[in-house]
Amino acid sequence: MDENRTSLAKGAKDIAREAKRQAARNFNKAVDRASDEYSSQRSYNRFNNQNQDEDDYHYQQQDGHYGENGDNDEGASSDATEGHDDEDEIYEGEYQGVPGYNDGKPSDGHVALGEPVSDSLKSHKDLENERQADEEELAQQYELILQECGHGRFQWQLYFVLGLALMSDGVEVFVVGFVLPSAETDMCVPNSGAGWLGSIVYLGMMVGAFFWGGLSDKVGRRLILLISLSVNGFFAFLSAFVQGYNMFLFCRMVSGFGIGGAVPIVFSFFAEVLAREKRGEHLSWLCMFWMIGGIYASAMAWAIIPHYGWSFSMGSAYQFHSWRVFVVVCALPCVSAVVALTFMPESPRFYLEMGKHDEAWMVLKLIHDTNMRARGEPERVFTVNRIKIPKQLDELVEMQNESANPVLKVLLKIRTEFKGIWGNFVKCFNHPVKENTIKLAAVWFTLSFGYYGLSVWFPDVIKHLQADEYASRVKIHNNERIEDFTFNFTLENQIHRNGLFLSDRFIAMKFKAVTFVDSSFVNCYFEDVSSVGSFFKNCTFVDSFFYNTDIDDSKLLKSRVINSSFHHNKTGCQVTFDDDYSAYWVYFVNFLGTLAVLPGNIVSALLMDKIGRLSMLGGSMVLSGISCFFLWFGTSESMMIFMLCLYNGLSISAWNSLDVVTTELYPTDRRGTGFGFCNAMCKLAAVLGNLIFGSLVGITKAIPILLASSVLVCGGLIGLRLPDTRANVLM
């Protein structure tokens, strides 16, 4: 009797449990259908239960999709339910760990009836199709998860950290132009070597963008950004102390190689923690840090470089001038970014792409909890406990054995990573992203060519205009004869032809832009003399004495020295920024040009999601091309500076839109690689712009203006042909 009662109670309990499960399942399905019909928000249960058999309830993992499964046997239990009785409840948001693989699969290579087909029996194309389906499903679910996490304190913390990294890239670009004349003068670089610094830094950035961007898709956004910024900071700091020009070039090239990874990784990283409705606006706000980097570099150059008194020397061999102080100061944003980035987590979207479910869940929960605490809702529970992960197709590399050479293992690992980077790059030219990659590369190239070309051409044009005005005020002295006179003052902007100087003394004085032609110096005494832009052409020195001067063979052009002696000559090239009549002006013009970007940046951020990425991209490039054309009609410095500020203000919207579109057009597994390739094309255009526009300075104004205008307009028209990404979720 007792046994019958026990069996009856047990059977009733089983029936009640089954009825409860069926009712819950039917309710979930009804909710899902209602959500699909009447709401754009989709239930997470849609991703958890849509492929499950209604009579199967044990935990299993199939194609990376975590679902709920149980056994009908009375005594059966799983790891997730062990230790719980029938009345236990799992609280919403309580993380249960990643279920393990089902160990009950046939091991003889055959597939039992009703069992899923093993991955080993599927073709690569089938696996790719399954992964694509997983990616699409994950993209939809991830968008809902980000909406649950909200936008708040975590995103703003990451915004400022990544902003410092982007600021470092802006600083690196401007440092090249500001340091170039000072470094080449200080290191006595001949004209044949001048200009190499700008080109070689951009070449380093070009290689770095492709390398670090591709590596971030294989290793991780945060780790690769940390490494690339560390490389940049170390070699940028080191370049401030090296003395030889070749070593300085090497340090700046490696520094550029390091910072090349900043732009593609920063935008990929930040986009992956932003919900769709926030992405366009906040990626545009992030672009402001590049402008802040330019303002910072311009202001520091203006405040530091012209102060020659800030320099010091250790003997005659080591000189540390003010431009080196400027280089050290410009490395500070990069150092700050490295320190701040150590406190931030990896991108959860990257973790999911790599199949790291646990790590991604922890980061997403951190984002949710950080934002909820900031809102004053710490009790709000993170309800996600299962997330779709795509099928992993990467082939595992089998090491030879445990006792194999560790060096070979490392080399094999490196080789595998490089192969993976190249494979990702090739995928960027496969359907369906091939056409987008080509169009994006063209837009990046044209926008960069016009922008960087004008950035090089315009300051040099200002310098030439000022030099022409300065030369127009030159004083010319012919056939003068000066005997037994002491020069202890500055001679500036003069030409002396056929002069005769007898028993004259040149003491503690300066020659500034002074040229002596066919002149003779007999029994003259030179002491503590410095000369900037001054030369002696076809002159004769007889019985003269030189002590502590910088007059050497480089300044004695086709001149004869008879019975004269040089003692304690100043070594190296003398850098005195007080003598550079255009230094302050050039730094100030760059500062104004960078500051003019601010209104355009604000407008683009506010309108990015309202008028669309493509309209802003194409319209901005066309308008900036038109404004560039009006530089042709500039007749004064003030008018040309105004037109430059207008051009910068209009073009910044194109840069911001292009960053957003590039981020959204590539899937997660190729986002860093694709963005890195486009940014590499940007730096290649910068190199060509430097060379082409730089060679036209002082020759003609028509060709640079027409070239920049036509290139920008063509790039804008190509940009309008890109697909609209405003409604995209990040795959």
Side-chain angles (χ1 to χ4, degrees):
M1 189 68 178
D2 290 338
E3 291 180 359
N4 292 335
R5 186 182 294 111
T6 301
S7 300
L8 183 61
K10 184 177 179 180
K13 191 174 182 180
D14 289 342
I15 293 173
R17 186 189 305 117
E18 184 65 23
K20 182 178 179 181
R21 287 173 177 169
Q22 294 294 338
R25 186 175 305 283
N26 292 334
F27 176 76
N28 286 337
K29 288 183 178 179
V31 170
D32 283 350
R33 284 194 296 270
S35 298
D36 287 340
E37 293 176 7
Y38 301 108
S39 172
S40 61
Q41 303 296 324
R42 305 174 70 183
S43 171
Y44 294 120
N45 291 326
R46 184 178 188 83
F47 300 98
N48 294 331
N49 299 323
Q50 63 182 0
N51 293 325
Q52 294 175 4
D53 186 84
E54 294 187 0
D55 297 324
D56 195 12
Y57 291 98
H58 36 222
Y59 278 109
Q60 73 176 15
Q61 182 191 56
Q62 178 179 331
D63 295 344
H65 192 171
Y66 297 100
E68 203 175 356
N69 239 318
D71 201 300
N72 290 331
D73 295 338
E74 176 65 25
S77 64
S78 68
D79 294 339
T81 59
E82 186 177 358
H84 296 274
D85 57 28
D86 294 332
E87 304 301 326
D88 282 345
E89 294 183 0
I90 299 176
Y91 292 101
E92 190 176 38
E94 181 182 356
Y95 185 54
Q96 300 301 310
V98 180
Y101 284 94
N102 188 359
D103 295 330
K105 295 179 181 179
S107 58
D108 57 358
H110 297 284
V111 180
L113 185 62
E115 291 292 326
V117 179
S118 173
D119 287 349
S120 61
L121 301 179
K122 297 178 183 178
S123 68
H124 189 269
K125 184 177 180 180
D126 291 337
L127 294 175
E128 285 280 6
N129 291 336
E130 289 185 19
R131 179 179 174 85
Q132 180 68 19
D134 291 346
E135 286 277 7
E136 293 173 359
E137 188 175 332
L138 171 60
Q140 299 291 337
Q141 184 186 11
Y142 190 75
E143 183 67 27
L144 295 177
I145 294 173
L146 288 180
Q147 291 173 7
E148 178 174 341
C149 291
H151 187 93
R153 176 178 293 175
F154 179 87
Q155 280 84 356
W156 285 111
Q157 289 174 347
L158 186 62
Y159 168 80
F160 286 106
V161 172
L162 296 179
L164 286 173
L166 193 60
M167 178 180 173
S168 303
D169 182 85
V171 168
E172 186 76 20
V173 169
F174 282 88
V175 164
V176 174
F178 293 147
V179 165
L180 186 60
S182 308
E184 290 177 344
T185 302
D186 188 19
M187 298 177 180
C188 306
V189 179
N191 291 333
S192 60
W196 266 105
L197 178 59
S199 298
I200 204 166
V201 170
Y202 284 127
L203 287 174
M205 296 174 77
M206 178 183 71
V207 177
F210 180 77
F211 176 76
W212 298 117
L215 204 58
S216 70
D217 284 335
K218 308 299 292 183
V219 180
R221 317 292 194 215
R222 174 182 171 274
L223 177 60
I224 296 304
L225 185 59
L226 267 174
I227 297 174
S228 64
L229 290 176
S230 299
V231 171
N232 169 251
F234 176 79
F235 282 94
F237 187 79
L238 183 63
S239 68
F241 297 93
V242 298
Q243 289 292 295
Y245 188 62
N246 290 334
M247 191 62 186
F248 181 77
L249 280 177
F250 174 76
C251 288
R252 295 312 304 186
M253 180 186 68
V254 180
S255 174
F257 171 75
I259 201 61
V263 172
I265 301 176
V266 161
F267 283 101
S268 299
F269 195 167
F270 196 47
E272 290 168 358
V273 296
L274 293 173
R276 179 174 53 193
E277 64 270 11
K278 298 285 187 180
R279 195 181 309 129
E281 177 185 350
H282 288 272
L283 285 176
S284 299
W285 288 124
L286 183 64
C287 295
M288 291 188 66
F289 277 93
W290 198 92
M291 174 206 68
I292 293 172
I295 294 177
Y296 175 81
S298 302
M300 292 299 101
W302 191 17
I304 295 174
I305 293 180
H307 293 280
Y308 180 66
W310 289 22
S311 63
F312 67 89
S313 60
M314 292 185 292
S316 60
Y318 190 85
Q319 305 287 332
F320 196 91
H321 293 122
S322 56
W323 67 267
R324 296 182 182 272
V325 179
F326 167 70
V327 172
V328 172
V329 170
C330 285
L332 296 181
C334 181
V335 175
S336 303
V338 170
V339 174
L341 195 59
T342 57
F343 297 96
M344 302 306 297
E346 179 58 87
S347 164
R349 187 66 176 83
F350 171 79
Y351 274 147
L352 291 173
E353 194 68 28
M354 295 294 106
K356 298 180 179 180
H357 180 278
D358 286 21
E359 292 86 343
W361 187 90
M362 294 297 291
V363 175
L364 288 169
K365 187 176 187 303
L366 172 66
I367 297 173
H368 174 274
D369 293 348
T370 301
N371 292 338
M372 292 306 111
R373 284 196 299 268
R375 291 182 184 179
E377 303 176 11
E379 73 284 352
R380 194 163 182 176
V381 178
F382 184 49
T383 61
V384 179
N385 52 18
R386 298 176 185 88
I387 309 173
K388 179 77 175 180
I389 60 173
K391 181 180 292 295
Q392 303 302 302
L393 303 181
D394 292 340
E395 296 182 359
L396 297 177
V397 179
E398 183 180 354
M399 298 301 176
Q400 295 177 358
N401 51 60
E402 291 299 326
S403 61
N405 190 337
V407 176
L408 293 178
K409 288 186 176 182
V410 172
L411 292 177
L412 185 59
K413 179 66 174 176
I414 294 174
R415 179 176 175 271
T416 304
E417 293 297 342
F418 274 102
K419 189 176 180 180
I421 294 174
W422 180 254
N424 256 3
F425 174 66
V426 172
K427 287 182 181 178
C428 292
F429 291 90
N430 292 341
H431 183 77
V433 297
K434 176 182 178 180
E435 187 177 350
N436 294 338
T437 298
I438 295 174
K439 290 178 181 178
L440 281 173
V443 176
W444 274 95
F445 186 90
T446 53
L447 181 58
S448 176
F449 184 80
Y451 179 83
Y452 287 105
L454 287 178
S455 297
V456 171
W457 175 77
F458 188 82
D460 282 344
V461 167
I462 295 294
K463 286 183 180 180
H464 274 73
L465 290 174
Q466 293 177 338
D468 292 342
E469 182 185 357
Y470 185 77
S472 67
R473 301 195 306 265
V474 65
K475 296 179 181 179
I476 301 176
H477 303 271
N478 294 313
N479 302 317
E480 60 184 339
R481 177 188 173 96
I482 302 176
E483 185 175 356
D484 196 22
F485 184 80
T486 300
F487 293 86
N488 55 4
F489 48 86
T490 298
L491 295 179
E492 180 179 358
N493 198 17
Q494 299 178 7
I495 298 177
H496 298 263
R497 290 195 178 98
N498 298 315
L500 177 60
F501 299 88
L502 297 173
S503 302
D504 293 322
R505 293 164 297 280
F506 300 84
I507 300 176
M509 67 160 301
K510 182 184 298 181
F511 293 118
K512 179 180 177 182
V514 177
T515 303
F516 294 92
V517 182
D518 298 325
S519 299
S520 299
F521 298 84
V522 180
N523 196 27
C524 292
Y525 181 79
F526 297 82
E527 181 179 355
D528 293 330
V529 175
S530 62
S531 57
V532 177
S534 299
F535 302 94
F536 300 85
K537 297 181 179 179
N538 200 25
C539 295
T540 303
F541 296 87
V542 180
D543 295 329
S544 296
F545 185 85
F546 297 82
Y547 182 84
N548 194 31
T549 70
D550 62 354
I551 300 174
D552 54 18
D553 293 339
S554 64
K555 298 180 179 180
L556 300 176
L557 306 178
K558 296 182 181 180
S559 297
R560 295 180 299 165
V561 179
I562 303 172
N563 198 26
S564 300
S565 58
F566 295 80
H567 299 273
H568 295 91
N569 259 29
K570 296 179 180 178
T571 58
C573 299
Q574 305 304 308
V575 180
T576 55
F577 294 98
D578 294 334
D579 298 322
D580 190 352
Y581 51 83
S582 62
Y584 282 100
W585 187 245
V586 170
Y587 300 145
F588 179 67
V589 168
N590 276 279
F591 179 79
L592 287 179
T594 311
L595 196 62
V597 171
L598 180 60
N601 228 321
I602 295 174
V603 170
S604 66
L606 295 177
L607 298 181
M608 184 69 68
D609 290 317
K610 293 181 173 61
I611 68 175
R613 289 93 157 104
L614 300 186
S615 299
M616 185 166 290
L617 172 61
S620 175
M621 290 187 69
V622 172
L623 290 176
S624 59
I626 295 173
S627 68
C628 173
F629 177 75
F630 281 99
L631 286 171
W632 197 335
F633 303 98
T635 56
S636 63
E637 291 181 25
S638 58
M639 185 175 179
M640 293 195 72
I641 291 172
F642 170 77
M643 295 305 301
L644 177 71
C645 292
L646 179 62
Y647 165 77
N648 286 345
L650 291 172
S651 64
I652 191 61
S653 297
W655 285 109
N656 293 0
S657 305
L658 192 55
D659 289 330
V660 176
V661 170
T662 307
T663 302
E664 294 178 332
L665 275 181
Y666 285 105
T668 304
D669 62 337
R670 281 166 276 176
R671 185 168 296 123
T673 304
F675 206 130
F677 168 70
C678 292
N679 201 248
M681 296 301 295
C682 167
K683 296 306 184 288
L684 176 62
V687 173
L688 296 177
N690 271 286
L691 297 176
I692 295 174
F693 283 77
S695 63
L696 297 173
V697 172
I699 300 176
T700 176
K701 186 167 71 171
I703 295 178
I705 292 175
L706 289 175
L707 186 60
S709 297
S710 58
V711 162
L712 287 169
V713 172
C714 290
L717 296 178
I718 295 174
L720 290 173
R721 304 291 296 175
L722 288 166
D724 190 3
T725 60
R726 197 172 2 176
N728 280 11
V729 293
L730 285 177
M731 283 185 57

